Amino acid sequence: MAAAAAAAAADEAEKARGRRAALSFAAIAVVLGLPLWWKTTETYRAALPYADIAALGELSFQLAVPVAVVFAPGSQPRDLPRLLPFRDTEEKETLLNSRTSIASRYEMVCRSTTAQEEAALGAATVQEADAALHQLQDASLGSLSLYVIPETSLLLPQGIGVYVGKHRSALVRAGQGLAALRARLQQVMQIMSFTTSSITAALSDRMPASQLGPDARRHFKSSLGYEITFSLLNPDPKSHAVHWDIEGAVSRYVQPFLDKLSFLANFSVDSQILYYAVLGVTPRFDKESSSFLLSAHSLPHVINPVEARLGSSAASLYPVLNFLLYVPERSHSPLYIQDKDGALVGTNAFHSPRWGGIMVYNVEGPAAPQASLPLRVDVDMVRVMEVFLAQLRLLFGVSREVQPPEVLLESPGNEGLADWELDRLLWARTVENVATVSTTLTSLAQLLDKIGNIVIKDDVASEVYRAVAAVQSAMAELAVGHLHSAFQASKEAVTSSERAFFDPSLLHLLYFPDDQKFAIYIPLFLPMAVPILLSLAKIFREAKQRKKEPTKTD
Amino acid sequence: MAARSRSAIGALGAPGASSISARRDLARAQALQEPWPFPQKAAALCWGPAWFAKGVKMCKSVTPKRALRRSRTCCCSTGRGRTQCRKIKPHSLQEQSSSLMGFAMTRLLRVDKAWEELSNILSGIFCASLNFIDSTNTVTPTASFKPLGLANGTDHHLLRYAVLPREIVCTENLTPWKKLLPCGSKAGLAVLLKAERLFHSSYHSQAVHIRPICRDASCLAVSWELRQTLTVVFETFPSGQGKKDWSLFKMFSRTLTEACPLASQSKIYVDISAKDKEKELLEVTPSPTSVHEAIVQGEKRTYAVYDLLSPSLFNTSRSLNVQLKWKRPQDSLELSTPVLHAQRYVSGYGLQTGKISTLIYNTHPYRAFPVILLETVPWYLRLYVHTLTIITKGKENKPSYIHYQPAQDRRRPHLLEMLIQLPANSVTKITIQFERALLKWTEYTPDPNHGFYVSPSVLSALVPSVIAMKEVDMEQSPLFTSLFPSSDGSSYFVRLYTEPLLVNLPTPDFSMPYNVICLTCTVVAVCYGSFYNLLTRTFHVEEPTRGGLAKRLANIIRKFRGVPPL
């Protein structure tokens, strides 16, 4: 009997030992095995500044423009609030959408003219005054100097209230009273820096299409470089031997413009002559004028067949601006472009947004019909480059908007671009770059968050950190009105964020879906997990039974 | 006996403008057509010089080079067709490979970077896989190649040469290539380039050459010359019967209607040279504008020339369809062997070692000449240089120059260059043994059992002519001489590419990683299972029983012995 009891006790002890062993197996598997497996198979993901990136999703731009308002003697309005010199700011906030807002702040320093400036303003013509004033300024990018001259000054022609010079200064007639002057100053400042619409156009990617004007998507996206290609299309080399002095024309007309823009991006210019390159549409013959017409609605079909011949952009990743000079076939000339209303287009040219421009160059028929073919044609490059340069300005978003008649804008001269136009472009480009970086980083963060398989290497992470830091510094520099450093920082941010986004290492492990991974693990997991689970279930069952037993005896 | 007729299409040219440099150059194009005895016919088309569309300018600007040569060829036929076409046209044939070579003028440190950019740009322009060119297939030959055109420096450190033996040309490469022609495929000889005919041929090769040349006679400025060549070998005699008549329409299914208006020269050369008495057997229609006699690669040949620019050609009919007829059927088809030709094969059995053998034939009756052999072998074939043997006429032939650069695993290939003297009328056999390396399992190509290609070796030689040649005036027929170069009166230059080799490497079973995982897991699971079982099993103390039969037997024995029972 005692032996039986002892045996039962030993049995019980043995059972308890078995239970403990099973439990410790389960514990080891959970405490040691699972973390070990997790650690050895996890993908390396460097930490990213997710909070900062999320903060970048909401952009509230603060654009500060330093403005010097200089009053010439006798131009101060009587109701000026304080004595000169004094500081004044003018702020305006626009909410573009729930995630984007622009606050512009014009920091005006009002003072009276110095002796030198007075002398400069005493020049005979307004152009000379502008040039003389330019010498006196320490013009940093983005800063403006506005000279208020007496209402009766003869420097400006009759009826002109505002004159915007070639550089970063403007002359403003004092007008009647402070309110009128303020309105004028505000107008000039907006012309010379930015308007809500120019910033909205730069932020076109963040805006719903309905809020954008028709021109908002015309100019080229901000990029670190552009390739400009001039092509001469001669579909009929049998009748026309066309020659153009593109090298001279580029160095004379385009290069000064590009030199001015060289701060903005790298440019490369090349040219080519393509023979037998025809337009995709057959022009309609108009009996009245005995000419051929291309109507506006057929223009979209012109580009595609030509584009196949233009040559690949295999050499770089930069966008290509195409400028095509088309000399129509003899059987189709003269060829004119008709606008939507049926009127002939004066320049005989059109442009395609974010692509380039095409100009049709008609060759005058030979004096004698039996003149020997091919006819030698020397292209009038002045006429052609006028059109191409205008299109180039349009595509870069530096075209001049129509101004009220009292505003006189000085022509930029040989450089093709006034200083303040460059500033205007830089304001828009900086804002655009910041918005691009914000979009890139946000989508990168979203992507990395969504797909846990992506390896995030340290160099990718450091690029992201650099981009975030650069974009933050760009915003800060914008807020204090340092346009130059803001633009540089935004460019840096774009470079870093693109490099992080397109880093090939992000794609390495993308093709290992989770279900396949588990299929590989099953031969290990199944035999190990089943006994543990079964014995755990058994232990659990026995414990439940033991709980029940005392109640039974009751 | 030997029915030899050759036809050659001539040159089409154009004055065109390389635009940004505001310079006008002559662009000429030439097609040379040669019907090989049976059953092929070769047509070589050649355009040049100096025609720059944007694409080419790009690669020029990115990588300023002394000379760039890029050639992609393919040979679609096998066996007899292949060897034949190589034997027939030893000067320019190359099979199933893309090659790219360039002299870079940039500083040495940047050569490799420029080379990489160049191959990427060219692969973009020509829709080719040239971007696969990297350090593992690029070599720096010391003696085989020299810069073309205007170049005084011959620093071989600036030279890069790469071959992709796996890549073949097809339509997608022809289209961008055609776009570079001044008239595209709209006018002139390029009208004949119809892709479905060109690629339905035994042999196809297209090349782009860029080199600097003098802009004018005074040579104060440099122009860049772009030359495009296309070589095709057709099978134009479909249904036996000994009929070897051909026409342009039969070959290209197109006829010519006009010369490219930009051309300064546009000619078709038809080879009508025949041996001695057979002259009268040939008939070409329409009658040629002129007849040109030349000594080409040591042979005297007569060409019927059609000048597309002469108005008389299109007077009678609107289109030109050159036809060649034989007056009576030919039966014997003898091929004259070229003076220099070569053959290469791989031998050996098993997957460990093997042997590459190259046979070089010199069939010149009395002249010996040297030849430079360039071998590039990928790193996964480990060459044993001590096994290199060169045997001519049963005796060892010592190379007078040898340059060997061993491979580095996954970094660069073997490079072997030798200058070998070939005695007259001899066969030289060059053998070298190799061992096959094991690759990492991710390094295998998608079809590893197809084998791995070893790029063709390159033979460069000045072959002495059998008959005296006279100096050819380069200015008079620039394209003709560029197709058949001759260095001086007594010899002509030949560059020969042998066939690429296909070598099998030991190929693993690619499900291996999964199998290993499964096996390991199973072993671990079995061990773990028994271990677990042992540790968690509950042991019962068994009551001792009366004992079994053995015990009873033992007790009976014990009783007998008088010992107490158990």
Side-chain angles (χ1 to χ4, degrees), chain B residues 509-522:
Chain B
D509 170 14
F510 287 99
S511 60
M512 181 182 64
Y514 183 73
N515 295 348
V516 168
I517 291 173
C518 282
L519 189 70
T520 323
C521 290
T522 313

Side-chain angles (χ1 to χ4, degrees), chain B residues 432-460:
Chain B
I432 188 162
Q433 288 181 14
F434 64 87
E435 194 182 75
R436 295 163 163 98
L438 280 172
L439 298 183
K440 288 179 183 164
W441 75 288
T442 47
E443 284 170 344
Y444 284 92
T445 49
D447 53 345
N449 290 312
H450 176 74
F452 287 76
Y453 283 94
V454 179
S455 49
S457 47
V458 183
L459 291 164
S460 319

